[in-house]
C-alpha cells in the first residue's frame, strides 16, 4: 500500500482509487494495463522509470485492440507516474500499475460500447527478489495458452489474467512454484506473468511473438543484452521436451526480472542452480535498470527532472 494513487488526472488518497462494481472493467475484466518499474539508485540518488514510453505505447496498442477509448496520452501518463512517485516520496524500487478500466454504459449493459473510462496509476514498494541458490520449479500447465483468435495475448487485458491464475494455482496446488504454458499448437508459449528463454550450447532461444505470448519489453531488453554480451539469440518455436534438455531455462518479465528455472515437471535443468548465462543476464539487467549499465535512453528520471518543475498536483 502507498499513501497516494492517481486517478483520472488527480493525485488522490490511496483509498479513493476505486471503480464502481457495475463497470465493464469490474464485471468482464475489460481493462488494459501495464506493469512497470521504478528503480532506485543510491549512487545517483535518483529513481529511474524503466522503458516507461515503451510500456505506455503497448498500453495504447492494447486499448486499441480492446476498443477502449484511451483518455490520456503517453506523455500525460508518464507525468502521472513521475508525479505519483514524488507524492509518495519513493526512494526504493517500486512497481506501477497503469490501467484503463472500461466504465459504465448509458444502458448499464455489460457489452455496450461506452466512452466512460476510468484511468488509474498506482505504485507500491517492491524490493529485489532474494537471490536464491535454486531456480524455480515449474510445471508444464494442463491449460493451453490463450491464442490470437480467442483472447489475443498481445493485449495486456485484465481478463487474460484469469487464465494465468488458473495455471498458477494449478501449479501451486501440485507443489510447483509456477507454470509454463504451451500454445494451441503445442509449442512453448510463456509463463503466467513472464516470458521464457532457454539456453542450449551457448545459444539463447525464446518463442516467437506469435507463439501465444505477450510482446514483452523485458524479453526485448534481455535479448538485446544477450547479443551485446556476445550470445547468439534466436526467436523460434520451442518444443516441450526441449525444455527438459536445455542447459538453462529462465523467466523474464517486468516483475520476474531474470529468474532462473531449476526444474520442469520434476526434471532438473542443468544442475538446478542459476547457470552462467542466466547469471550474466541477471547482472546485466540489474545494472541497466539501476543506471549502472548503459542504455540511459531506457531510463526516465523522477526527481532530477521534477525538482525543477514541481508537479501541479503537489502545488499549494
Ligand atoms: N507475459 C505475461 C502474461 C505477462 O503478464 C508479463 C508481464 N507483464 C510478461 C509476459 C512479460 O512482459 P514484460 O516484460 O513486458 O513485463
Amino acid at each position: 500500500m502507498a499513501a497516494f494513487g492517481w486517478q483520472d488526472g488527480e493525485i488522490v488518497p490511496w483509498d479513493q482509487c476505486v471503480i464502481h462494481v457495475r463497470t465493464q472493467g469490474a464485471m468482464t475484466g475489460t481493462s488494459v494495463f501495464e506493469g512497470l518499474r521504478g528503480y532506485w539508485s543510491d549512487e545517483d540518488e535518483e529513481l529511474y522509470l524503466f522503458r516507461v514510453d515503451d510500456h505506455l505505447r503497448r498500453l495504447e496498442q492494447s486499448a486499441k485492440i480492446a476498443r477502449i477509448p484511451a483518455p490520456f496520452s503517453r506523455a500525460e501518463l508518464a507525468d502521472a507516474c513521475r508525479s505519483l512517485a514524488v507524492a509518495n516520496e519513493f526512494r526504493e524500487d517500486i512497481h506501477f500499475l497503469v490501467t484503463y478500466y472500461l466504465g459504465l454504459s448509458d444502458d448499464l449493459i455489460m457489452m455496450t460500447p461506452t466512452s466512460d473510462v476510468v484511468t488509474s496509476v498506482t505504485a507500491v514498494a517492491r524490493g529485489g527478489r532474494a537471490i536464491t541458490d535454486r531456480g524455480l520449479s515449474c510445471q508444464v500447465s494442463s491449460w493451453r495458452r490463450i491464442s490470437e483468435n480467442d483472447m489475443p495475448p498481445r493485449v495486456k487485458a485484465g481478463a487474460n489474467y484469469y487464465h494465468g491464475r488458473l495455471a498458477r494455482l494449478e501449479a501451486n496446488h501440485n507443489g510447483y512454484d509456477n507454470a509454463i504454458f504451451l500454445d494451441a499448437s503445442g509449442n512453448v508459449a510463456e509463463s503466467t506473468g513472464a516470458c521464457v528463454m532457454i539456453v542450449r550450447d551457448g545459444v539463447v532461444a525464446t518463442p516467437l511473438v506469435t507463439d501465444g505470448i505477450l510482446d514483452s519489453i523485458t524479453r526485448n531488453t534481455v535479448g538485446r543484452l544477450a547479443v551485446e554480451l556476445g550470445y547468439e539469440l534466436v526467436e523460434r518455436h520451442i518444443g516441450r521436451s526441449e525444455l527438459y534438455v536445455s542447459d538453462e531455462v529462465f523467466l523474464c518479465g517486468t516483475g520476474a526480472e531474470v529468474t532462473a528455472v531449476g526444474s520442469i515437471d520434476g526434471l532438473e535443468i542443468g544442475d538446478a542452480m542459476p547457470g552462467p548465462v542466466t547469471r550474466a543476464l541477471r547482472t546485466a539487467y540489474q545494472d541497466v535498470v539501476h543506471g549502472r549499465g548503459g542504455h540511459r535512453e531506457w531510463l526516465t528520471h523522477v526527481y532530477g527532472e521534477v525538482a525543477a518543475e514541481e508537479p501541479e498536483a503537489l502545488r499549494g
Side-chain angles (χ1 to χ4, degrees):
M1 207 169 92
F4 298 105
W6 180 101
Q7 192 149 315
D8 296 329
E10 309 279 343
I11 301 265
V12 295
W14 176 269
D15 290 346
Q16 287 176 27
C17 293
V18 287
I19 57 169
H20 196 277
V21 292
R22 190 85 200 197
T23 52
Q24 298 189 35
M27 278 306 297
T28 60
T30 307
S31 63
V32 290
F33 72 101
E34 279 301 313
L36 60 102
R37 300 290 295 264
Y39 287 96
W40 176 252
S41 161
D42 277 334
E43 294 86 348
D44 302 350
E45 292 252 320
E46 180 56 293
L47 184 63
Y48 294 115
L49 306 185
F50 188 62
R51 297 194 69 171
V52 62
D53 192 57
D54 294 314
H55 279 282
L56 296 175
R57 178 173 291 121
R58 189 171 65 188
L59 183 71
E60 276 178 357
Q61 294 170 350
S62 292
K64 177 180 182 182
I65 300 169
R67 298 176 192 271
I68 296 176
F72 290 94
S73 68
R74 297 208 297 274
E76 287 169 327
L77 292 178
D79 270 355
C81 291
R82 289 168 53 213
S83 305
L84 183 64
V86 173
N88 284 304
E89 300 176 1
F90 284 125
R91 289 175 174 269
E92 61 210 302
D93 293 350
I94 58 175
H95 182 267
F96 288 93
L97 290 175
V98 182
T99 311
Y100 287 137
Y101 298 92
L102 200 58
L104 296 169
S105 59
D106 291 340
D107 57 8
L108 300 178
I109 302 288
M110 284 197 300
M111 276 180 269
T112 311
T114 172
S115 58
D116 181 39
V117 175
V118 177
T119 309
S120 88
V121 183
T122 53
V124 293
R126 177 117 165 232
R129 277 149 199 266
I131 306 265
T132 50
D133 283 341
R134 67 171 190 97
L136 298 179
S137 65
C138 289
Q139 173 188 35
V140 174
S141 186
S142 71
W143 300 97
R144 285 294 170 100
R145 189 64 181 136
I146 48 175
S147 68
E148 187 70 359
N149 289 314
D150 40 63
M151 290 180 70
R154 171 188 304 285
V155 181
K156 198 166 165 60
N160 288 2
Y161 287 78
Y162 174 76
H163 180 246
R165 183 174 177 278
L166 284 179
R168 173 80 69 99
L169 295 190
E170 177 194 48
N172 292 162
H173 178 77
N174 292 337
Y176 297 90
D177 296 317
N178 210 333
I180 293 175
F181 284 113
L182 305 181
D183 73 2
S185 311
N187 296 309
V188 172
E190 61 181 349
S191 184
T192 57
C195 282
V196 176
M197 293 202 173
I198 66 170
V199 184
R200 295 191 70 190
D201 299 324
V203 177
V204 179
T206 193
L208 295 159
V209 80
T210 45
D211 286 348
I213 69 167
L214 182 71
D215 193 352
S216 151
I217 289 158
T218 319
R219 170 180 174 277
N220 175 278
T221 303
V222 171
R224 286 176 66 176
L225 296 177
V227 170
E228 287 167 18
L229 289 176
Y231 299 109
E232 191 184 333
L233 171 77
V234 284
E235 296 181 30
R236 62 171 175 81
H237 296 313
I238 294 175
R240 172 178 186 163
S241 62
E242 219 184 332
L243 293 174
Y244 305 141
V245 296
S246 292
D247 303 321
E248 302 179 36
V249 177
F250 62 90
L251 307 184
C252 66
T254 295
E257 300 177 324
V258 176
T259 301
V261 174
S263 67
I264 299 174
D265 295 337
L267 298 170
E268 282 194 356
I269 308 301
D271 58 6
M273 314 275 270
V277 180
T278 306
R279 281 189 273 115
L281 287 169
R282 189 168 66 188
T283 302
Y285 187 79
Q286 288 299 325
D287 284 348
V288 164
V289 297
H290 285 98
R292 303 186 291 259
H295 286 293
R296 307 287 295 189
E297 74 280 9
W298 284 337
L299 306 179
T300 300
H301 290 253
V302 168
Y303 292 105
E305 289 170 21
V306 173
E309 189 196 332
E310 197 175 60
E312 205 175 319
L314 296 182
R315 276 185 214 137

